[in-house]
Amino acid sequence: MGIRRGRELASAVSGLTDREFRVLVWYWFATEESQGAVMMTGADVAKELGMSPDTLTRTVKVLKAARLLVEAGGLGRTTFYRCTPYLAFIGSGFAHREAVKDWNPPETTVRQPRDHRRKTTKGGEA
């Protein structure tokens, strides 16, 4: 992924919350092999990130829908994830080209950014 698209993901326009971006960056740097999954349970990842497992599950669901995280196997009921090869890849340029052939590029706009302003004005008018 180029610098411009990386900046788009970090900007408010992407729709990613700070938490979602933090989880994405954590998986980005935890991906140690070219196509290898991060071999940690969701509970362990959540503990390292300082959030509840339920919060991590909701966050991963958003990142999966945007094709920023990819399922990369599992063991029992545990699913392992890794970053899309468009975002993080360790290996040669030829291997990288081969890795992205089977994947659609991730969305840089996940959803419309949220408006956190109050909806009512003084006097109770909407």
Side-chain angles (χ1 to χ4, degrees):
M1 177 175 284
I3 292 172
R4 183 183 60 80
R5 288 188 59 139
R7 284 184 62 191
E8 287 174 5
L9 279 174
S11 72
V13 176
S14 74
L16 286 175
T17 63
D18 291 344
R19 178 181 293 134
E20 291 161 353
F21 187 72
R22 186 166 54 107
V23 169
L24 176 63
V25 170
W26 186 91
Y27 271 99
W28 181 356
F29 289 115
T31 302
E32 295 178 358
E33 300 174 22
S34 60
Q35 294 297 308
V38 177
M39 303 294 283
M40 292 176 69
T41 65
D44 291 337
V45 174
K47 184 178 179 182
E48 189 169 321
L49 288 169
M51 61 180 66
S52 73
D54 291 338
T55 301
L56 179 68
T57 299
R58 287 190 302 272
T59 304
V60 166
K61 185 177 178 180
V62 169
L63 296 173
K64 271 181 49 180
R67 296 186 308 274
L68 293 165
L69 286 185
V70 178
E71 285 187 23
L75 183 62
R77 294 183 344 175
T78 302
T79 304
F80 300 119
Y81 298 94
R82 65 178 172 84
C83 273
T84 176
Y86 281 94
L87 184 60
F89 187 85
I90 299 170
S92 69
F94 178 76
H96 190 200
R97 281 194 308 271
E98 291 298 314
V100 298
K101 278 184 179 179
D102 297 330
W103 299 102
N104 290 329
E107 297 289 333
T108 53
T109 302
V110 176
R111 61 179 168 267
Q112 290 296 319
R114 295 181 181 127
D115 185 6
H116 295 288
R117 293 180 285 175
R118 290 182 176 221
K119 300 293 182 203
T120 60
T121 60
K122 281 191 173 180
E125 296 178 13

